[in-house]
Structures are given as structure tokens and as C-alpha cells.
Amino acid sequence: EDKVVQSPLSLVVHEGDTVTLNCSYEVTNFRSLLWYKQEKKAPTFLFMLTSSGIEKKSGRLSSILDKKELFSILNITATQTGDSAVYLCAVEGSGGGADGLTFGKGTHLIIQP
Amino acid sequence: EAGVAQSPRYKIIEKRQSVAFWCNPISGHATLYWYQQILGQGPKLLIQFQNNGVVDDSQLPKDRFSAERLKGVDSTLKIQPAKLEDSAVYLCASSLAQTASTDTQYFGPGTRLTVL
């Protein structure tokens, strides 16, 4: 059974701090790992990672994948109150003859002014 | 704890055919969401149910898509007739929220639809 574990489950930091969110996974026939930011209803897509060691960046956010150790991290530098959200990690694989996404429980990030 | 269940996990149909997806949320979860996720994009909310009532279906293409949650538990999403641009992963999520407010959503594995 595919499995995604995110840590920490919740995190409170002050504006300007740097945070690192973790995502470890076990999946059959790995295809990709995705990061989302969820503030209201629909999660916002952040990154899709398929190759090890290649950092993806978007503004203050960056992410990297380690396919050998089966984990990914999401970094946010110079945090702002608008970064407060639940950050979801999902892994796409093909296990047991079926394709699918497995989501982690999310990291609830709170940025205090 | 059992998660959100969806079936089928994978479906291939030809354009103009019909297709139906099924979702069983986590037991006790009042709110159920259907999303459409096209490759490389974030999920787009199609419809949100609160128990058996529709809270938000503003982005549901009602000429071809329909959804129901008759008993306030499991739900079906139907596309009739399908178009090529409907190829996507259809995600179901549920949350505990008893009111139409933001709450932690738990996602199912999705159904990957390919329309040929």
C-alpha cells in the first residue's frame, strides 16, 4: 500500500523565518511527487518533481526530491503571513495495476506577524 | 482509519461516451468535494456537498456533468457525453465540517480518465 508521511503536522513560526517541510513516501512504481498549498477550498499546485536532486524554485519557495532516500522537502524563506496554509504532499504511482495519487495529511503552517 | 475511497481508479472511453465515478468519504464527514485535475495544474473544484445538499457548483459544466449525494454519504459524478478535454484526474475529498467553512480535506486516490 502506498504511503505518504508529512512532518511536522503543524508548525508556528514568526514572519521572516525560514521553514522546511518534509514529505517521505513509499510507493509502487513512482511517477511524480507533487506539492500543494491549501488555503480555502481547492489546493493550489506548487511543484511537480520527478527527478532526484533537481531543485525547483518559485519565488521564496523551493523543493527538491531524493528518490534514493524517498523523501522531498519544501522550503519557504522569508516567510510572510500570507504563507499560512496547509501544505499537502502527494505521490503518484502505479501500484497493483491501478494508477493513483496518495496524499499526506498535510503540514498546517501558521506564520505569526 | 479508512480513507476516502474512489472507483474506478482508471478509465478509458471514447468521446461522446458516458462515464461515472464513485466516491465514498470518510465515515462521519459531512462535506464532500469533487475536483478535476488536469496534468500540471492544481485541482479545480467542480462541486461541494454539505450532507446531501449542494453548497457550490459554480464551476461544474452542467451541460455535461452531474453529481449527486442522495443519502448524504457516498457520491457519484457523471459525464455525459465526454469530450477530449475532460481527460484528467478526478479527485474526491471529504472533510468533517458540519458547516460550509474551511476545514481539513482528506483526498482519495483519484480516478484517471482518458478520453480518446
Side-chain angles (χ1 to χ4, degrees):
Chain A
E1 185 181 319
D2 297 346
K3 189 175 164 185
V4 175
V5 178
Q6 290 187 246
S7 64
L9 290 181
S10 65
L11 183 60
V12 181
V13 300
H14 287 102
E15 218 170 4
D17 287 350
T18 294
V19 297
T20 298
L21 310 183
N22 304 291
C23 175
S24 64
Y25 63 89
E26 295 173 22
V27 66
T28 305
N29 297 329
F30 174 89
R31 287 188 175 185
S32 64
L33 184 144
L34 304 100
W35 282 100
Y36 301 92
K37 177 183 182 184
Q38 182 162 24
E39 293 173 276
K40 295 178 181 176
K41 290 184 181 179
T44 304
F45 172 79
L46 295 175
F47 300 109
M48 175 187 279
L49 303 161
T50 55
S51 301
S52 257
I54 299 173
E55 185 183 52
K56 292 214 171 179
K57 281 183 73 78
S58 176
R60 296 177 293 103
L61 277 65
S62 63
S63 183
I64 197 160
L65 174 67
D66 186 329
K67 287 166 77 171
K68 182 179 175 186
E69 300 297 330
L70 307 182
F71 77 91
S72 173
I73 59 171
L74 175 69
N75 275 323
I76 309 175
T77 59
T79 53
Q80 302 171 359
T81 54
D83 296 327
S84 296
V86 175
Y87 290 83
L88 292 168
C89 172
V91 175
E92 185 178 17
S94 56
D99 298 325
L101 285 166
T102 302
F103 282 83
K105 293 185 183 225
T107 293
H108 191 184
L109 177 64
I110 297 173
I111 311 296
Q112 291 182 334
Chain B
E1 173 184 278
V4 176
Q6 288 188 248
S7 67
R9 297 290 292 275
Y10 193 65
K11 189 78 178 176
I12 301 175
I13 60 172
E14 294 188 348
K15 60 183 179 184
R16 291 187 289 273
Q17 285 188 320
S18 300
V19 65
F21 312 126
W22 175 81
C23 172
N24 193 17
I26 293 173
S27 178
H29 280 197
T31 307
L32 185 147
Y33 309 80
W34 280 104
Y35 292 94
Q36 178 194 60
Q37 180 172 318
I38 293 170
L39 184 66
Q41 300 177 19
K44 168 187 157 186
L45 179 67
L46 294 175
I47 189 166
Q48 176 186 351
F49 290 97
Q50 189 72 27
N51 297 308
N52 60 350
V54 175
V55 173
D56 182 355
D57 63 357
S58 56
Q59 297 194 83
L60 186 73
K62 297 180 185 65
D63 57 332
R64 297 184 300 107
F65 286 64
S66 65
E68 59 183 16
R69 192 185 184 199
L70 292 174
K71 296 181 180 178
V73 181
D74 57 346
S75 174
T76 54
L77 175 70
K78 295 179 183 176
I79 308 175
Q80 181 179 6
K83 293 185 176 181
L84 297 176
E85 58 261 36
D86 298 332
S87 295
V89 174
Y90 290 85
L91 292 166
C92 178
S94 71
S95 70
L96 191 59
Q98 293 296 327
T99 59
S101 61
T102 304
D103 194 6
T104 301
Q105 294 179 37
Y106 296 84
F107 285 84
T111 296
R112 181 179 293 277
L113 174 67
T114 302
V115 181
L116 302 175

